[in-house]
Amino acid sequence: MRLGWPQILSLIPITVSIASCDGEGLMGAPATLRFGYDDWPGYYPALIAAERGYFAEEGLIVKATKRDDTDALFADFGAGDYDAIGAALGDIVDLTLVHPDFHIILVTDISEGGDAVLARPGVETIEDLRGKAFGVNLGSFAELFVLTVLKSHGLSMADIRLVHTDAAELPAKLKSGEVDAGHTWEPFVTQAQDEGARVLFTSAATPGLIQAVVAVRGEVLRERAKALGAFVKGWFKAVDYWKAHPDQGNTLAARVLKVGPNTISLEGIRLTNLQDNIQLFKAGETTRSTYYTARLYVDFFLGSGGLTRKPEVEQILEPRFLN
């Protein structure tokens, strides 16, 4: 787990790389993209790509804005405030109910311990959750993760009391006693631990289930393919740099986010490069295929009522830029 994350995270969006023009670029000017993301290191290649000049090399300026409220990020994306966002695969699948013209162009990372179920003192095991108040962002990918955790220990959703809780809110709700346990991700896992919570279960036990992605609006996909291609190329350059130079990558991201250099880490997160994405965007029968994993979320949300119609996964996933 990462150590030293700030205990209080700003609710004010952090924006970097101010854009100079719209569209694909006028009279040779760089094209621009507006990218929204929440507090998850898997989205930080956007920051590193800007700092290292990888986007500029591709003729692109990216305006990246960090949001600490995931629901607000999705609402603003739906309203057209962003061209692309970083989000969980399951969340994009769920959002297609209202916004069927969202498309996934790459997988940023796979959570391999970065997501966790935590509990207050006195709740020592998953079995102890029976009858307890459990904080989770309802209608999000986290519901399937929590169900998977419960089923692995002989429990169901009916055995706990669900309390709608954004990941960023969980540490405070655990501390106040509003919930007894809940799901969140880093850096909030470490924050909750520092305040006395204990980890009961992590995504290391659910390989491939929690994938994070970059999703774009349909009109951007149709009208600004060149800019998206530049974004993907710059992104993967940053991924390769960060994996080869983890300390330097951590420092660059920390500088943009205005946090201490030791507060950024990829522990529990597997960044996915171009070759990883090419494999993930192939059909398969395990969570090593994003098509398969997306269908798991489709089936879950159809069963839970989160979706009332079945989206076509092939229409959501767009692999054309993976070359």
Side-chain angles (χ1 to χ4, degrees):
M1 296 297 176
R2 287 184 291 283
L3 299 176
W5 278 92
Q7 297 301 300
I8 300 176
L9 296 172
S10 172
L11 295 178
I12 301 173
I14 296 175
T15 303
V16 297
S17 299
I18 302 302
S20 61
C21 65
D22 294 326
E24 291 284 83
L26 300 175
M27 298 180 64
T32 67
L33 280 176
R34 300 165 300 164
F35 177 68
Y37 65 102
D38 61 17
D39 208 349
W40 176 250
Y43 308 134
Y44 296 171
L47 311 182
I48 294 171
E51 289 293 293
R52 293 281 300 172
Y54 297 143
F55 288 141
E57 290 173 1
E58 301 297 332
L60 182 68
I61 295 175
V62 174
K63 181 180 180 181
T65 303
K66 182 173 78 70
R67 304 294 300 273
D68 291 319
D69 185 328
T70 305
D71 293 335
L73 172 67
F74 293 160
D76 291 344
F77 184 45
D81 291 346
Y82 302 111
D83 302 310
I85 61 169
L89 168 64
D91 289 347
I92 297 301
V93 169
D94 190 40
L95 287 170
T96 61
L97 174 65
V98 179
H99 301 286
D101 204 17
F102 287 173
H103 304 273
I104 292 168
I105 61 171
L106 65 86
V107 174
T108 66
D109 65 274
I110 297 173
S111 179
E112 297 182 341
D115 286 74
V117 170
L118 297 100
R120 288 168 51 82
V123 179
E124 306 299 324
T125 67
I126 296 295
E127 289 79 3
D128 292 339
L129 293 175
R130 191 183 300 273
K132 297 294 194 295
F134 191 100
V136 62
N137 193 339
L138 298 174
S140 77
F141 78 93
E143 281 197 73
L144 179 56
F145 174 63
V146 171
L147 176 61
T148 303
V149 172
L150 294 174
K151 287 177 66 175
S152 70
H153 290 77
L155 300 178
S156 71
M157 289 293 206
D159 292 314
I160 59 177
R161 292 186 290 114
L162 296 173
V163 178
H164 182 64
T165 304
D166 192 84
E169 299 173 329
L170 185 70
K173 287 190 176 184
L174 285 172
K175 187 175 182 179
S176 70
E178 184 175 347
V179 298
D180 301 297
H183 160 265
T184 191
W185 56 72
E186 290 288 11
F188 312 113
V189 171
T190 296
Q191 181 183 346
Q193 286 182 293
D194 289 344
E195 295 174 355
R198 61 173 295 164
V199 172
L200 300 183
F201 193 97
T202 79
S203 54
T206 58
L209 181 64
I210 302 179
Q211 300 182 21
V213 302
V214 170
V216 302
R217 299 170 55 80
E219 61 266 31
V220 177
L221 182 66
R222 290 184 290 273
E223 299 171 9
R224 306 184 59 199
K226 182 178 179 181
L228 290 178
F231 178 89
V232 171
K233 289 179 180 178
W235 181 282
F236 286 132
K237 287 180 182 179
V239 168
D240 291 342
Y241 174 82
W242 199 1
K243 294 179 82 166
H245 308 282
D247 291 340
Q248 294 92 324
N250 294 349
T251 299
L252 285 175
R255 185 169 68 203
V256 175
L257 295 169
K258 297 181 173 58
V259 297
N262 295 324
T263 63
I264 305 292
S265 171
L266 289 173
E267 184 175 352
I269 300 167
R270 178 163 66 88
L271 289 181
T272 51
N273 61 22
L274 175 58
Q275 290 304 314
D276 294 328
N277 269 262
I278 290 172
Q279 293 302 313
L280 285 163
F281 273 72
K282 290 181 178 179
E285 297 300 323
T286 72
T287 52
R288 285 178 288 189
S289 165
T290 301
Y291 286 92
Y292 175 85
T293 308
R295 290 191 181 96
L296 291 181
Y297 285 105
V298 168
D299 292 343
F300 171 74
F301 286 124
L302 284 172
S304 67
L307 289 174
T308 56
R309 58 171 179 77
K310 186 174 183 178
E312 294 296 329
V313 169
E314 289 77 10
Q315 294 180 8
I316 299 173
L317 299 180
E318 177 49 75
R320 76 171 80 168
F321 303 106
L322 302 178
N323 52 46

